[in-house]
């Protein structure tokens, strides 16, 4: 432990922040996985599915209502106005509130017309709108702390919220089990967070002296307006399946699909950790025109990630058995295509990293919008025909389309060959084959465990090369 502390204290502030925030992310995701079995056992599947629908609409409405001002534009403001960060934060918070109020008036006005499609009661919509007023304060504070490498309090509050929300929700379900379970689950989880957000709202307001400068509003609006379709498309591509399954089938089917998606998200966590270090490495090498180094590093990285995807697919029956009851067993059959989709989502990130470096984000927006529209159309046709499992395969196909469009965009903007595309193409074919055929081996535990053991052996054999790659991109 002393050796670890000594090494940690010897690295840069940026590296400390990255490591600490990554560990916080692992802890919060770990808590999410720990409480999922509690939810699946305490709640009927239809209530679990309704909760998934609520969370999906919360994210979709939130992108518009809060205008995603805590994303890239806020970091730009931290850079452009280093001496006015308190004023800038409260000014954008005020702008976010104005947009939220306008959005709230419109949404409540048209709610009677869209009630059946949305599938949630007005009381939950009002809860969302209250969250949208106060949540930006916490988001802005968090982004600023990360920007300034002040990771300690971010880690503390992130973990605290990750524990507080499910703890209160589970207690509410247990003690209010004879009443409305859906209300106990949603209000139990969200009200404690709102109270935390209110505290940060007051903190930001006082710290800024309640000063509002409208000159920040125009640049923030102009910067984010073209990106809203991209943010919406990316989230819809990830989550429109749940809404359409609930609308076209029922909430129980949504619950099964949500559990499968939670299992597949393990692979996403792995990539998030990798990409956090890969982005600055890629930018540095692009700036130095050292394109061969990018190719040399990313080829084994994508191979390791493919192995992680295969690992998740092979262990799907065991993970679902832990996370849910026997009622959810059939969810394992949608995991392979969802994980396959995550693999192609990773390819999108790799290609988009290059496109963003050369400041051509409109190409990324086009890819995400096309893929999302295609996904919604295919879901509408195939979910009705083949059930909720079809949503996994439509998502896989649409992520393939998105990755291909972003690959074309990368070729258009990049001055040289960035990646080993022959290797990536061959690996993609293998992943697609696994996604289509792995369901056939779920009943043969010996075959699955031989595959898992083989992956572990390969990782052990190439452990030195893997560690060298990690060290290289961490520098």
């Amino acid at each position: 432990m002393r050796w670890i502390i000594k090494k940690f204290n010897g690295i840069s502030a940026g590296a400390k922040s990255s490591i600490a925030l990554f560990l916080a992310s692992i802890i919060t995701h770990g808590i999410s996985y720990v409480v999922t079995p509690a939810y699946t056992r305490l709640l009927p599947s239809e209530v679990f599915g309704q909760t998934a629908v609520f969370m999906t609409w919360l994210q979709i409405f939130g992108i518009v209502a809060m205008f995603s001002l805590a994303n890239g534009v806020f970091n730009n403001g931290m850079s452009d106005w280093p001496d006015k960060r308190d004023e800038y934060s409260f000014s954008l918070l005020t702008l976010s509130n104005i947009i939220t109020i306008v959005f709230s008036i419109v949404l409540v006005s048209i709610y009677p017309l869209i009630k059946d499609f949305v599938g949630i009661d007005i009381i939950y919509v009002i809860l969302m709108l209250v969250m949208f007023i106060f949540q930006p304060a916490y988001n802005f504070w968090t982004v600023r702390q990360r920007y300034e490498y002040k990771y300690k309090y971010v880690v503390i509050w992130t973990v605290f919220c990750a524990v507080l929300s499910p703890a209160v929700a589970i207690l509410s379900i247990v003690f209010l089990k004879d009443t409305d379970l859906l209300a106990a689950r949603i209000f139990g989880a969200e009200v404690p967070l709102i109270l935390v957000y209110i505290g940060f709202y007051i903190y930001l307001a006082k710290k800024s002296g309640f000063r509002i400068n409208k000159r920040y509003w125009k640049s923030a609006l102009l910067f984010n307006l073209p990106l809203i379709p991209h943010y919406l498309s990316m989230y819809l591509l990830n989550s429109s399946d749940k809404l359409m399954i609930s609308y076209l089938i029922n909430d129980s089917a949504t619950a099964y699909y949500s559990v499968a998606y939670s299992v597949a998200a393990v692979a996403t966590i792995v990539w998030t950790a990798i990409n956090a270090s890969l982005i600055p490495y890629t930018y540095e090498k692009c700036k130095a025109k050292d394109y061969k180094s990018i190719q040399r590093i990313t080829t084994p990285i994508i191979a390791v990630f493919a192995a992680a995807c295969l690992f998740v697919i092979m262990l799907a029956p065991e993970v679902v058995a832990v996370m849910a009851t026997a009622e959810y067993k059939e969810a394992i059959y949608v995991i392979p295509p969802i994980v396959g989709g995550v693999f192609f989502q990773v390819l999108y990130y790799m290609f988009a990293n290059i496109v963003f470096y050369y400041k051509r984000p409109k190409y990324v927006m086009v890819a995400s919008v096309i893929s999302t529209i295609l996904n919604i159309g295919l879901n509408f046709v195939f979910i009705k025909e083949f059930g909720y499992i079809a949503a996994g395969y439509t998502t896989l196909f649409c992520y393939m389309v998105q990755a291909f469009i972003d690959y074309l965009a990368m070729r258009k903007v990049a001055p040289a060959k960035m990646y080993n595309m022959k290797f990536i193409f061959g690996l993609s074919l293998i992943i697609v084959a696994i996604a289509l055929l792995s369901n056939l081996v779920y009943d043969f535990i010996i075959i699955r465990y031989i595959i898992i053991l083989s992956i572990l052996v390969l990782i052990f054999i190439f452990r030195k090369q893997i560690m060298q790659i990690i060290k290289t991109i961490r520098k």
Side-chain angles (χ1 to χ4, degrees), residues 244-265:
M244 297 191 73
I245 290 169
S246 179
Y247 181 72
L248 296 173
I249 306 179
N250 54 48
D251 291 324
S252 293
T254 305
Y256 304 149
Y257 189 83
S258 296
V259 168
Y261 219 97
S262 296
V263 175

Side-chain angles (χ1 to χ4, degrees), residues 206-256:
K206 286 186 174 181
K207 202 166 187 294
S208 68
F210 295 89
R211 291 189 302 273
I212 299 172
N213 193 327
K214 295 180 183 178
R215 66 176 172 174
Y216 305 131
W217 291 4
K218 182 178 179 181
S219 60
L221 287 170
L222 292 176
F223 186 96
N224 261 34
L225 187 61
L227 291 175
I228 293 300
H230 169 64
Y231 293 140
L232 276 173
S233 297
M234 284 304 300
Y235 187 78
L236 285 171
L237 185 55
N238 285 328
S239 303
S240 62
D241 300 349
K242 299 171 190 175
L243 298 179
M244 297 191 73
I245 290 169
S246 179
Y247 181 72
L248 296 173
I249 306 179
N250 54 48
D251 291 324
S252 293
T254 305
Y256 304 149

Side-chain angles (χ1 to χ4, degrees), residues 266-283:
V266 174
T268 305
I269 295 171
V270 174
W271 176 253
T272 300
I274 295 172
N275 200 42
S277 297
L278 185 60
I279 288 175
Y281 179 86
T282 301
Y283 281 23

Side-chain angles (χ1 to χ4, degrees), residues 16-144:
K16 286 180 182 178
S17 179
S18 296
I19 293 171
L21 294 172
F22 169 66
L23 292 176
S25 176
I26 293 296
I27 292 170
T28 53
H29 280 93
I31 292 170
S32 175
Y33 282 107
V34 168
V35 300
T36 296
Y39 288 141
T40 56
R41 286 163 173 79
L42 289 171
L43 299 172
S45 58
E46 62 270 18
V47 174
F48 189 86
Q50 289 167 359
T51 303
V53 171
F54 169 84
M55 298 305 296
T56 302
W57 281 117
L58 179 69
Q59 296 297 322
I60 293 173
F61 288 153
I63 290 172
V64 180
M66 297 183 289
F67 216 66
S68 297
L69 292 174
N71 291 334
V73 66
F74 191 80
N75 279 324
N76 285 6
M78 294 295 97
S79 174
D80 295 340
W81 310 98
D83 298 326
K84 300 285 186 179
R85 288 176 179 172
D86 293 331
E87 182 180 276
Y88 183 82
S89 298
F90 189 64
S91 297
L92 258 62
L93 178 57
T94 307
L95 174 61
S96 177
N97 286 169
I98 293 172
I99 296 172
T100 298
I101 291 170
V102 174
F103 176 83
S104 301
I105 293 171
V106 174
L107 181 60
V108 172
S109 300
I110 66 172
Y111 176 77
L113 302 176
I114 63 173
K115 178 181 177 180
D116 293 337
F117 175 72
V118 173
I120 54 177
D121 291 337
I122 187 66
I123 187 66
Y124 300 111
V125 173
I126 293 173
L127 176 66
M128 291 182 188
L129 299 176
V130 173
M131 290 189 68
F132 297 154
I133 289 291
F134 297 106
Q135 185 179 345
Y138 177 76
N139 294 343
F140 292 153
W141 175 83
T142 301
V143 173
R144 178 174 174 179

Side-chain angles (χ1 to χ4, degrees), residues 217-383:
W217 291 4
K218 182 178 179 181
S219 60
L221 287 170
L222 292 176
F223 186 96
N224 261 34
L225 187 61
L227 291 175
I228 293 300
H230 169 64
Y231 293 140
L232 276 173
S233 297
M234 284 304 300
Y235 187 78
L236 285 171
L237 185 55
N238 285 328
S239 303
S240 62
D241 300 349
K242 299 171 190 175
L243 298 179
M244 297 191 73
I245 290 169
S246 179
Y247 181 72
L248 296 173
I249 306 179
N250 54 48
D251 291 324
S252 293
T254 305
Y256 304 149
Y257 189 83
S258 296
V259 168
Y261 219 97
S262 296
V263 175
V266 174
T268 305
I269 295 171
V270 174
W271 176 253
T272 300
I274 295 172
N275 200 42
S277 297
L278 185 60
I279 288 175
Y281 179 86
T282 301
Y283 281 23
E284 177 188 330
K285 297 304 176 183
C286 282
K287 187 175 182 179
K289 296 183 170 53
D290 184 7
Y291 308 119
K292 289 185 179 179
S293 291
I294 298 175
Q295 185 176 145
R296 189 166 57 249
I297 287 293
T298 53
T299 297
I301 283 177
I302 197 67
V304 170
F305 185 77
C309 289
L310 180 57
F311 195 80
V312 173
I313 290 172
M314 289 298 108
L315 279 177
E318 286 77 11
V319 177
V320 170
V322 171
M323 293 186 66
T325 61
E327 180 185 2
Y328 291 79
K329 183 180 178 180
E330 68 177 27
I332 64 174
Y333 297 108
V334 77
I335 290 175
I338 293 177
V339 174
V342 171
F343 175 82
F344 284 96
Q345 186 181 18
V346 163
L347 295 186
Y348 142 74
Y349 280 119
M350 287 177 57
F351 302 147
N353 287 346
I354 304 298
V355 177
F356 278 125
Y357 174 79
Y358 288 102
K359 299 179 180 179
R360 300 288 185 87
K362 65 179 181 180
Y363 293 127
V364 176
M365 182 193 72
V366 169
S368 58
V369 170
I370 290 175
S371 303
T372 300
I373 294 173
L374 180 62
N375 188 43
I376 292 172
L378 292 175
N379 279 339
F380 189 78
V381 173
F382 290 103
I383 289 175

